[in-house]
Amino acid sequence: MKKTPRIYRTDPYLEPFEGAIEARHRRIIEARERISGPDPENFVRSINNHLYYGLHKEADGSWVIREWAPNATKIYLIGEFNNWKRTSAYELKIAGQGNWELRLDPMFLSHGELYKLFIEWPGGGGERIPAYCKRLVQDPVTKIFCAQVWDPAVPYSWKHDKVLRRPHPLIYECHIGMSSEQRKVASFDDFRKDVLPRVKKLGYDTIQIMALQEHPYYGSFGYQVSNFFAVSSRFGTPDDFKRLVDTAHGMGIAVVMDIVHSHSVDNAAEGLSLFDGRDDLYFYSGPQGHHPAWGSRCFDYGKDEVIRFLLSNCKFWLEEYHLDGFRFDGVTSMIYWDHGLGKDFGDYALYFDAGVDENAVTYLGLANMLVKAMKPSAITIAEDVSGMAGLAAPFEAGGVGFDFRMAMGVADHWIKWIKEKKDEEWSPGEMWYELTNKRSDEKTISYAECHDQALVGDKTLIFRLMDKEMYFSMNMESVNPVVDRGMALIKLIRLATVATAGDGYLNFMGNEFGHPEWIDFPREGNGWSYDHARRQWSLADAYYLRYHCLQDFDKEMIHLVKRYGALAATPELLRADEEKKILIFKRKSLIFALNFNPVDSFADYAFPAPDGDYFKVLDSDEKRFDGFSRLENDGEHFTMGGNLILYLPSRCALVLADRANRK
């Protein structure tokens, strides 16, 4: 078997850091061996905290609950079954190495009962949610969270346990709670019945679900996690979520979880902070244990108990819910001691100097190893803005092992061009560079915009292009140059992004049809309103509004790149015409010709192209896409003298396919 070359052999800029890269590689191996011994095959088996800690029902019907709380002096199980009183019958016993345990006969606990722990420590004590709790519910009046015994009489039976490989995922990013048009918190069942069929029809083959781990504040978008093993009860039961995943798999849609291991809520009542009275049980001690920008707690990735907790969390979600991978949130915050705040990553040395939390890098390497060993078809995606070299390179090459990294700069540059430049100043050459600039040894997920750009305080791309005109001129009969410009450019932007995408593409729920307005979760500042925490699907389904034109274009675009397997090839530049504002490139057997010129159309535009007999497979100017049908009679195109000749209307995109490779 051919040996995988190290990343410093394929990238001369990394040669000075050979020692640091090899040291990082050794640290990950040493950490794995410390956890599971020298046999790599034992690694997956050794990650089993979720099977030991927390509340479990034994084979004989009895119950056992275990907790790690080395600073505790006493621990009681309290709940509805004992009127929330601390009694000797429900007192946990010391089990060694900071562990506590309580065994109970079957009749002591029943499905649906609420419970907590009461932990006493030197100088204090308080109620706590078990660290490995798998089910919580929130009282609708008091808003207090409690653990709940989850032991349904009939366990969920999986029907579609498929292997869904996604070398080039087309991702539909979504939030369950805001997926309904109604002013409410939508459920897993709502999403399964109403949104999954839309995703399937649009052509996306992967959903990336946000906010699955339990979080006390709904408005955090799920990024202030309190209970890492519990699926958020706001959206339904564990079985409801399993049914959603199962249905998605039956449709051929993979399910990726947006997992948060970058920090935890500061709340002691719901989370892990001060769990047994100690400030540093799960988190770094002192200032390093507190995130200065997020007001949350930072995990101590150098502590084996924490590493096991987080690795067990990955294993639990894969095993229990049959997921197809993870998008790791906040990786930049994890891997730098300063969380990357205010830092310009313009020097490779910053990826290997004392500013890097190598404990966190080691953990991420182990997490990727575990996921791949458990489910080789699963994918892992890193949300990292720093561009750390090797993060998404294979472990065998000296990398950290992520399958993909988010191409976060692409969205930033679309915003920059819209905000800072006139249309006639857009540079096709600059555009091409920024859309395709990536490390050759790492795969990326590109996107024009994700949920970040839709949040209150920011603007979606279509809102930047149209602003208030969206409120008045989105009906099909309106005549408005601002809206015409916005409709044309948003199609070009999305097509250029997916067509140049590194190895995968992402769209946030509703952006495919240009969802109006922003996302603002119910909070005191907006009168606890759900007006902006929902998706108005009816706009996309109304034939008399322009939104359905954008949705139809997105559907055709996604089906096209999937049908031709376009993302499996590297895009090749054919022409970047700065004067005329034309960008033309080839990807696999497709040719993408985009005219960004705001005014001028070009007849008989010639450019170099491979020999072939080409025909039109997508035209952004079609009437059904709210265009002007200027290419309605466009026919076949033959390469002549090494050139293709096209008519390219202003603000129009044309995609051609070689007839020899017709799909």
Side-chain angles (χ1 to χ4, degrees):
M1 183 181 291
K2 188 177 180 181
K3 189 176 181 180
T4 305
R6 292 290 208 243
I7 55 177
Y8 51 78
R9 298 293 183 214
T10 55
D11 182 354
Y13 287 103
L14 289 176
E15 287 181 1
F17 308 103
E18 175 180 348
I21 291 168
E22 288 298 336
R24 181 173 290 173
H25 189 80
R26 286 194 302 273
R27 273 192 295 270
I28 297 172
I29 293 176
E30 289 166 0
R32 184 188 66 195
E33 292 179 349
R34 191 171 64 248
I35 289 172
S36 59
D39 183 4
E41 297 297 319
N42 192 44
F43 181 47
V44 173
R45 292 191 296 270
S46 67
I47 304 301
N48 54 19
N49 277 27
H50 58 295
L51 302 177
Y52 180 79
Y53 294 106
L55 180 66
H56 300 278
K57 197 170 191 179
E58 304 281 73
D60 62 0
S62 64
W63 295 93
V64 61
I65 185 169
R66 301 186 185 95
E67 197 62 65
W68 178 59
N71 193 48
T73 55
K74 285 188 177 183
I75 302 181
Y76 297 92
L77 181 67
I78 60 174
E80 294 179 316
F81 39 81
N82 62 6
N83 202 27
W84 302 95
K85 301 295 184 183
R86 285 173 269 169
T87 63
S88 58
Y90 288 90
E91 183 178 354
L92 279 69
K93 307 301 180 187
I94 294 174
Q97 297 183 309
N99 296 320
W100 297 75
E101 179 182 281
L102 172 65
R103 292 182 177 273
L104 296 167
D105 289 338
M107 72 286 294
F108 277 65
L109 292 175
S110 300
H111 175 67
E113 287 186 309
L114 304 181
Y115 70 97
K116 285 186 178 183
L117 297 176
F118 192 97
I119 301 180
E120 297 181 4
W121 55 79
E127 293 182 356
R128 294 291 186 265
I129 302 292
Y132 289 79
C133 175
K134 299 177 180 66
R135 169 69 174 169
L136 281 87
V137 291
Q138 185 180 27
D139 186 284
V141 178
T142 66
K143 304 302 181 184
I144 293 174
F145 281 88
C146 286
Q148 185 180 46
V149 178
W150 191 254
D151 181 37
V154 181
Y156 184 82
S157 177
W158 291 89
K159 301 173 183 63
H160 303 287
D161 199 12
K162 296 184 177 181
V163 175
L164 300 174
R165 299 189 183 279
R166 292 288 179 266
H168 304 287
L170 296 166
I171 301 172
Y172 197 80
E173 184 187 31
C174 47
H175 183 286
I176 300 296
M178 58 171 287
S179 65
S180 171
E181 182 147 358
Q182 299 177 45
R183 293 170 174 82
K184 66 173 189 176
V185 178
S187 68
F188 290 127
D189 283 344
D190 291 332
F191 187 92
R192 176 175 56 84
K193 295 172 184 175
D194 301 332
V195 182
L196 270 182
R198 303 183 77 98
V199 177
K200 175 69 175 177
K201 188 175 181 181
L202 287 166
Y204 293 90
D205 58 23
T206 304
I207 54 173
Q208 179 179 297
I209 309 181
M210 309 168 64
L212 285 174
Q213 294 166 294
E214 191 61 86
H215 47 289
Y217 179 46
Y218 186 47
S220 74
F221 230 140
Y223 291 123
Q224 291 269 345
V225 173
S226 53
N227 312 99
F228 290 79
F229 291 82
V231 67
S232 180
S233 58
R234 286 186 181 89
F235 314 134
T237 69
D239 283 7
D240 292 337
F241 181 50
K242 290 176 182 178
R243 194 171 295 108
L244 187 161
V245 175
D246 210 2
T247 304
H249 285 170
M251 294 178 170
I253 299 172
V255 183
V256 170
M257 173 185 178
D258 199 342
I259 197 167
V260 181
H261 283 177
S262 47
H263 63 137
S264 177
V265 291
D266 192 34
N267 311 30
E270 294 92 0
L272 299 171
S273 191
L274 300 174
F275 186 76
D276 64 352
R278 283 177 53 182
D279 185 61
D280 61 349
L281 182 64
Y282 283 92
F283 310 108
Y284 283 123
S285 60
Q288 292 291 2
H290 297 264
H291 200 294
W294 297 345
S296 52
R297 302 304 312 275
C298 301
F299 284 110
D300 183 348
Y301 303 104
K303 188 180 288 186
D304 281 354
E305 293 87 348
V306 175
I307 292 289
R308 286 182 175 275
F309 174 83
L310 295 173
L311 290 176
S312 291
N313 192 234
C314 294
K315 187 175 181 180
F316 167 77
W317 285 98
L318 285 178
E319 285 182 336
E320 186 70 14
Y321 295 107
H322 296 205
L323 299 181
D324 302 291
F326 301 106
R327 180 260 201 188
F328 281 76
D329 179 70
V331 168
T332 308
S333 179
M334 295 174 70
I335 59 180
Y336 300 100
W337 290 111
D338 62 4
H339 312 294
L341 298 172
K343 181 180 287 186
D344 178 16
F345 292 93
D347 186 340
Y348 269 34
L350 295 173
Y351 302 144
F352 305 102
D353 65 12
V356 176
D357 181 355
E358 292 293 349
N359 295 330
V361 176
T362 296
Y363 162 66
L364 291 172
L366 293 173
N368 279 295
M369 276 186 190
L370 178 70
V371 172
K372 290 296 177 301
M374 286 186 64
K375 194 170 186 177
S377 63
I379 61 174
T380 55
I381 306 168
E383 190 225 14
D384 168 50
V385 72
S386 77
M388 175 182 275
L391 192 65
F395 180 71
E396 297 75 19
V400 182
F402 281 98
D403 291 299
F404 304 92
R405 69 187 320 145
M406 301 297 294
M408 302 179 74
V410 171
D412 292 341
H413 278 92
W414 285 123
I415 293 171
K416 177 183 176 182
W417 292 323
I418 292 172
K419 282 179 62 176
E420 300 178 6
K421 296 187 177 184
K422 298 176 182 177
D423 292 4
E424 57 269 24
E425 295 174 342
W426 287 24
S427 163
E430 180 189 8
M431 198 180 300
W432 173 257
Y433 175 79
E434 296 298 349
L435 290 173
T436 61
N437 181 29
K438 63 185 282 290
R439 295 184 58 82
S440 61
D441 57 357
E442 297 187 356
K443 296 187 290 186
T444 60
I445 303 291
S446 297
Y447 57 97
E449 52 189 341
C450 66
H451 70 271
D452 287 329
Q453 287 75 38
L455 288 169
V456 64
D458 205 338
K459 288 183 178 181
T460 61
L461 291 180
I462 199 164
F463 231 109
R464 290 183 183 279
L465 291 166
M466 299 184 187
D467 207 68
K468 67 180 185 302
E469 300 301 323
M470 283 190 75
Y471 295 121
F472 310 110
S473 302
M474 287 300 283
N475 59 300
M476 294 297 296
E477 304 306 318
S478 65
V479 178
N480 187 312
V482 173
V483 171
D484 287 344
R485 168 184 177 263
M487 290 292 289
L489 283 179
I490 196 68
K491 288 180 286 185
L492 267 65
I493 287 169
R494 294 177 72 79
L495 180 64
T497 303
V498 72
T500 58
D503 300 272
Y505 175 74
L506 177 141
N507 165 61
F508 178 65
M509 177 176 70
N511 283 352
E512 71 277 2
F513 66 84
H515 194 284
E517 302 182 333
W518 54 90
I519 298 167
D520 189 12
F521 284 89
R523 55 187 173 84
E524 188 175 4
N526 64 17
W528 303 104
S529 169
Y530 286 88
D531 279 353
H532 296 287
R534 59 193 181 109
R535 298 283 90 177
Q536 299 181 62
W537 306 109
S538 61
L539 297 176
D541 297 336
Y543 70 92
Y544 54 87
L545 296 176
R546 299 185 189 218
Y547 297 103
H548 85 272
C549 300
L550 292 179
Q551 179 174 257
D552 290 347
F553 179 79
D554 196 86
K555 181 179 71 173
E556 292 296 322
M557 178 183 82
I558 294 298
H559 279 283
L560 178 69
V561 297
K562 188 162 64 171
R563 186 166 70 250
Y564 281 87
L567 300 192
T570 302
E572 304 170 39
L573 181 63
L574 300 178
R575 175 69 57 81
D577 190 327
E578 298 294 335
E579 179 186 356
K580 294 183 171 62
K581 306 304 175 189
I582 291 172
L583 177 64
I584 304 176
F585 55 93
K586 175 180 177 290
R587 192 150 197 188
K588 213 165 184 180
S589 60
L590 298 177
I591 290 179
F592 297 84
L594 297 91
N595 181 5
F596 284 90
N597 197 297
V599 177
D600 295 330
S601 301
F602 302 97
D604 301 327
Y605 188 86
F607 61 92
D611 289 343
D613 171 9
Y614 293 92
F615 66 101
K616 182 175 65 176
V617 289
L618 185 63
D619 168 15
S620 71
D621 200 47
E622 282 191 50
K623 188 66 177 175
R624 63 187 176 124
F625 304 141
D626 194 39
F628 297 98
S629 301
R630 289 169 290 179
L631 289 165
E632 192 174 60
N633 299 317
D634 190 58
E636 291 184 295
H637 302 273
F638 297 92
T639 310
M640 294 184 293
N643 285 325
L644 271 181
I645 299 175
L646 301 178
Y647 169 45
L648 295 178
S650 60
R651 288 187 182 137
C652 173
L654 180 64
V655 185
L656 304 173
D658 188 345
R659 194 168 296 280
N661 298 290
R662 187 165 192 165
K663 303 291 184 180

